[in-house]
Amino acid sequence: MGTLYIVPTPVGNMEDMTLRAIRILREADLILAEDTRTSGILLKHFEIRNSLLSHHKFNEHGTTAGIVERLKAGQTVALISDAGTPGISDPGFFLAREAVKAGITVQCLPGATACIPALVCSGLPSDRFCFEGFLPQKKGRQTHMASLAEEQRTMIFYESPYRLVKTLLQLAETFGPDRQACVCREISKLHEESRHGTLAELAEHYTQTPPKGEIVLVVAGREKPQKHTEKPNKKD
């Protein structure tokens, strides 16, 4: 049996690539890439010359069976996405699941992702959190937001710059305008920015200054209701 390696790649700065990730990509029999053109730039930068196969959300159900057979035959396969860790709002889950079902060893390397740096630099509680990825664009969007209204953990969302203001306004309506949040833009890139404030304040700012680039939105959870205990009356 071979091994399926899930390999994180930089979300911005090329220096975020780990030495182990470079070695695995050089040694693998096959590299699966979400977009071979994007990954080709990365591989060229690190002088990695290896077989590259397109593997993305539109073809993964068709290509996975053949990849599993390669792994069963003893090949080493490395999966990468355009940026970050495969399987986190990127293709990867389906192949990992099928490989596990087939008894193949699946290893995910530690490495770059956008959600954890955004959470940590937000200044919001990071001991308990939930990752929500991209909100539904249309059907079920309001219902999903409403389902999070009582969530007490810090919430992490990925969002497009074109929908950020709409999302902030809708969350303000659902959670309340004073809920604390942080918008992290262009993590690990030249124009990286973290802006803190309430949902209402952030919505106003980005209405005045339209955002650009990749965005992670971190929103505080609902505060726990304080328990009120009545003191027993003292008898004279």
Side-chain angles (χ1 to χ4, degrees):
M1 288 278 193
T3 300
L4 171 64
Y5 287 97
I6 297 174
V7 182
T9 55
V11 296
N13 195 319
M14 287 287 193
E15 292 179 0
D16 293 337
M17 189 75 166
T18 69
L19 296 175
R20 185 182 175 203
I22 294 171
R23 177 179 63 80
I24 292 296
L25 292 179
R26 283 177 176 162
E27 295 176 355
D29 295 300
L30 176 67
I31 298 174
L32 306 175
E34 184 179 3
D35 187 324
T36 55
R37 295 164 299 180
T38 300
S39 296
I41 297 171
L42 174 79
L43 299 182
K44 184 178 180 181
H45 179 85
F46 290 105
E47 298 181 346
I48 298 169
R49 300 173 182 86
N50 212 330
S51 300
L52 203 59
L53 179 68
S54 179
H55 183 82
H56 46 73
K57 66 180 181 180
F58 300 109
N59 74 354
E60 62 182 351
H61 286 77
T63 58
T64 292
I67 295 164
V68 168
E69 289 305 312
R70 290 190 183 215
L71 288 161
K72 284 181 177 179
Q75 290 192 11
T76 297
V77 178
L79 171 66
I80 58 177
S81 61
D82 289 348
T85 301
I88 306 298
S89 289
D90 278 328
F93 159 72
F94 183 72
L95 176 58
R97 185 186 71 182
E98 296 305 300
V100 168
K101 282 182 179 179
I104 294 160
T105 299
V106 178
Q107 291 190 18
C108 181
L109 276 60
T113 185
C115 57
I116 299 302
L119 170 65
V120 174
C121 74
S122 71
L124 297 171
S126 56
D127 55 334
R128 296 176 68 243
F129 61 91
C130 59
F131 175 71
E132 291 294 322
F134 287 95
L135 285 163
Q137 291 187 33
K138 294 179 181 178
K139 187 178 180 180
R141 183 179 175 88
Q142 294 285 6
T143 302
H144 188 69
M145 286 186 182
S147 73
L148 296 171
E150 301 300 315
E151 177 60 66
Q152 295 182 349
R153 295 171 295 178
T154 301
M155 293 163 278
I156 307 171
F157 303 91
Y158 285 166
E159 193 50 279
S160 158
Y162 307 108
R163 292 191 300 270
L164 177 63
V165 172
K166 174 185 175 182
T167 297
L168 288 168
L169 289 171
Q170 289 178 329
L171 289 175
E173 184 178 349
T174 306
F175 297 168
D178 295 330
R179 183 76 66 92
Q180 290 294 315
C182 177
V183 173
C184 297
R185 283 194 321 109
E186 295 291 84
I187 290 173
S188 192
K189 297 178 183 175
L190 181 62
H191 301 292
E192 182 173 352
E193 173 195 55
S194 294
R195 182 167 290 275
H196 308 77
T198 65
L199 289 169
E201 289 169 344
L202 292 169
E204 182 179 358
H205 171 77
Y206 287 109
T207 298
Q208 302 292 331
T209 309
K212 295 179 180 179
E214 302 289 331
I215 290 170
V216 183
L217 171 61
V218 186
V219 182
R222 181 176 177 271
E223 291 186 5
K224 293 181 181 179
Q226 294 184 351
K227 293 181 180 179
H228 296 285
T229 56
E230 294 184 2
K231 293 182 179 180
N233 292 326
K234 290 184 179 179
K235 294 183 178 180
D236 293 336

